[in-house]
Amino acid sequence: RSFARSVLGFLGFIFWGTAVAQMFGGVAVILMFKNYRYLFQESYLSLPGWLALATALTLLPTGVLAVSISVKCSRKQQGTFMYLLLLLLCLETSSAALARSYCVRTASQLESAISYLVHQHNWTCSQDPGNSAVDVIQRKLQCCGVHNYTDWLKASSLCHPTCVPESCCKEKHSLCRGDLGHVEQLSEEGCLKKLEDQLYFSMLYIFWCCTMLSILELLAVVSNGILMIHQPFHELHIL
């Protein structure tokens, strides 16, 4: 029993720390789909992020109960703790499954979505930096084209284009105008890879956070169960 109490007290502090980690992951996913909403049309794709936020908020009282039970066993607190752990397991399982599923589904849509924006972009060699969706992406991620700057040459209606959009320019080259004569001033990497990296990081972060947290919660269930075994069953009315 003393070991179970110690484990619960330790897990209580771990739950508070993982609440912060879950909140970070949830906010990252929500902001990513909000910032690139012109690439991801389905609003439900941010659902794993909202579930992660709900998990983070539920972890706070769960951690308080774990620490409280480790100090002084209360039958009502132990029952409530079990209910919260069950709720958390449901939230995390759903969040992890959706994150894994959406990661695969949205990755396959990214290339066609970016290619469409590039080919629909109406640009000419001018001093206008442009504020279209693809310009915003290229400036924010410091990238150029789908795979590299040559994608703009294929998309151009000119036979021999001499420039690419100014949003392809690296930030350190303030005088860059997208001139193909100064390729070194352009971002080498395409936008597809950078967007995929962001997507994979955000979704897999939530997936592994939920997986590891589920294991810790199962340990908390066992520890709390050990303490509850020593309580007369007829007194556990809350269950």
Side-chain angles (χ1 to χ4, degrees):
R1 292 183 63 184
S2 59
F3 178 72
R5 285 175 181 266
S6 301
V7 170
L8 272 181
F10 174 73
L11 288 175
F13 293 104
I14 294 295
F15 287 159
W16 291 336
T18 51
V20 176
Q22 284 281 72
M23 193 168 294
F24 169 79
V27 170
V29 168
I30 293 170
L31 289 179
M32 181 187 68
F33 285 109
K34 180 180 178 181
N35 292 335
Y36 304 114
R37 56 188 175 276
Y38 24 76
L39 294 175
F40 308 103
Q41 300 297 327
E42 299 88 348
S43 58
Y44 62 82
L45 291 175
S46 60
L47 185 57
W50 291 108
L51 288 176
L53 287 182
T55 301
L57 294 176
T58 310
L59 277 169
L60 297 176
T62 305
V64 172
L65 283 174
V67 174
S68 177
I69 293 170
S70 69
V71 176
K72 182 181 179 181
C73 285
S74 166
R75 298 179 183 89
K76 291 185 178 180
Q77 286 183 349
Q78 288 175 318
T80 305
F81 184 62
M82 283 295 199
Y83 281 125
L84 286 177
L85 288 177
L86 179 61
L87 174 61
L88 282 170
L89 285 171
C90 293
L91 286 172
E92 288 152 13
T93 303
S94 302
S95 183
L98 289 175
R100 188 67 179 178
S101 172
Y102 291 171
C103 186
V104 175
R105 183 185 303 179
T106 53
S108 62
Q109 298 174 355
L110 268 179
E111 184 170 4
S112 59
I114 301 174
S115 298
Y116 176 79
L117 289 178
V118 168
H119 284 83
Q120 292 297 312
H121 186 47
N122 184 20
W123 62 277
T124 56
C125 298
S126 68
Q127 301 300 314
D128 183 11
N131 290 305
S132 68
V134 69
D135 286 316
V136 172
I137 293 174
Q138 291 187 149
R139 278 194 294 269
K140 186 177 295 184
L141 298 179
Q142 283 293 284
C143 57
C144 187
V146 182
H147 301 96
N148 51 52
Y149 74 92
T150 59
D151 294 312
W152 284 107
L153 307 185
K154 301 171 186 176
S156 174
S157 58
L158 302 175
C159 295
H160 301 286
T162 58
C163 70
V164 295
E166 290 184 29
S167 55
C168 283
C169 295
K170 296 178 181 177
E171 288 184 346
K172 62 181 179 180
H173 297 292
S174 58
L175 299 178
C176 173
R177 293 293 178 266
D179 188 356
L180 291 176
H182 301 281
V183 180
E184 71 282 356
Q185 297 180 353
L186 306 177
S187 299
E188 297 92 356
E189 200 168 3
C191 297
L192 177 62
K193 186 179 184 306
K194 290 200 171 185
L195 280 169
E196 284 180 340
D197 289 344
Q198 276 197 14
L199 175 68
Y200 288 145
F201 174 80
S202 300
M203 290 299 195
L204 293 182
Y205 177 90
I206 286 184
F207 175 80
W208 287 113
C209 270
C210 291
T211 302
M212 296 302 296
L213 189 54
S214 297
I215 295 172
L216 294 176
E217 283 162 9
L218 290 175
L219 182 59
V221 168
V222 173
S223 301
N224 193 40
I226 292 173
L227 296 177
M228 294 178 74
I229 287 174
H230 297 276
Q231 304 292 337
F233 182 77
H234 64 275
E235 296 184 10
L236 298 174
H237 295 302
I238 194 170
L239 293 179

